[in-house]
Amino acid sequence: MRIIVHKARCQGHARCSARAPAVFKLDEAGYILPGDIDVANGEQLLAPDGVRSCPELALEIEDPPAARIVPDAILKPRTGVPEHLTTMEFATDPMEQAKITELLDREAIRDCLYRYCRGIDRADEAALRSAYWPDAHDNHGAYCGSAEGFIRFALGVFKTGPRNIHQITNILIEFINPAEAAVESYFTALQRGPDKDGEMRQMLLSGRYCDLFQRREGEWRIAERTVVYDWLEEQIPAAVLESERFGPRQPIGAPHPDDPVYALGKRRIASRGDAFSASERERRISGDDGL
């Protein structure tokens, strides 16, 4: 297996290395090293997952293997072969291959849904775009149209400095064929921001994302989305500033690229010993945090 590296596209998310660190080597800043990658046999199970995880499409499999490599432990038992063996070999049973492929596809779909949440909550345009195919359609409450139009709409909302928190649960994936899947995901969303008149509004929403996912060139993304609303509750926003409400509970979530998660991706988060003063560490250890 050979992986083509499009170095110029890399934004330092480091997701590929998190999935297959032996395959995807990063520089000190967390960016992929230049040069295409020849994947060793022992790493061919995880490498495709690392390729699919890149939201910037900076990685591409040149020659997908005819068969995936899997541990003996997940193959069907074979006469005379101890079950504790950990050597790697090609899985030749078509049924086993189908099961492995389906598991990888399911994980790729879930990862896409999570990228959407990061994109919409962290005002991360790249992550948001990575969840949709360019020709996708989105029926999203007040908005109905192309996914590109929804992204432009979201970018306008991001400029108002809203507070968004999206959580996804109950992900049900039903494959229509090898390249399409019907996916229902329950969501809970807390949204706070100014309305068109500048008045601060806060809403608690619950519902479902009903998505048609399509697999193109080995990658799963949303092709069609309909947002179904099952609960809506308008809340009274807090009158005080966030810095007052959160108090010592720091850091507070922030938009891209200032949120701590992006420093984590680039290996830049300071140790806890560096992040807090001695008095702050003592207070936290004593439990005076009002959790």
Side-chain angles (χ1 to χ4, degrees), residues 5 56 78 94 126 144 149 153 170 175-176 183 193-195 213 227 237 240 246 251:
V5 176
E56 309 298 338
R78 296 170 297 167
C144 184
F153 170 78
N170 297 18
F175 289 99
I176 301 170
V183 182
D195 60 17
F213 270 78
V227 182
V240 298
F246 283 94

Side-chain angles (χ1 to χ4, degrees), residues 121-122 160-165 190-194 200-202 237-255 259:
D121 288 347
R122 302 275 70 82
T160 67
R163 173 70 68 183
N164 290 323
I165 303 173
L190 179 64
Q191 300 177 332
R192 181 172 60 82
M200 191 63 65
R201 304 286 294 275
Q202 182 168 305
V240 298
L241 297 175
E242 285 193 337
S243 58
E244 298 179 47
R245 289 196 299 122
F246 283 94
R249 295 168 182 83
Q250 302 291 329
I252 300 172
D259 191 87

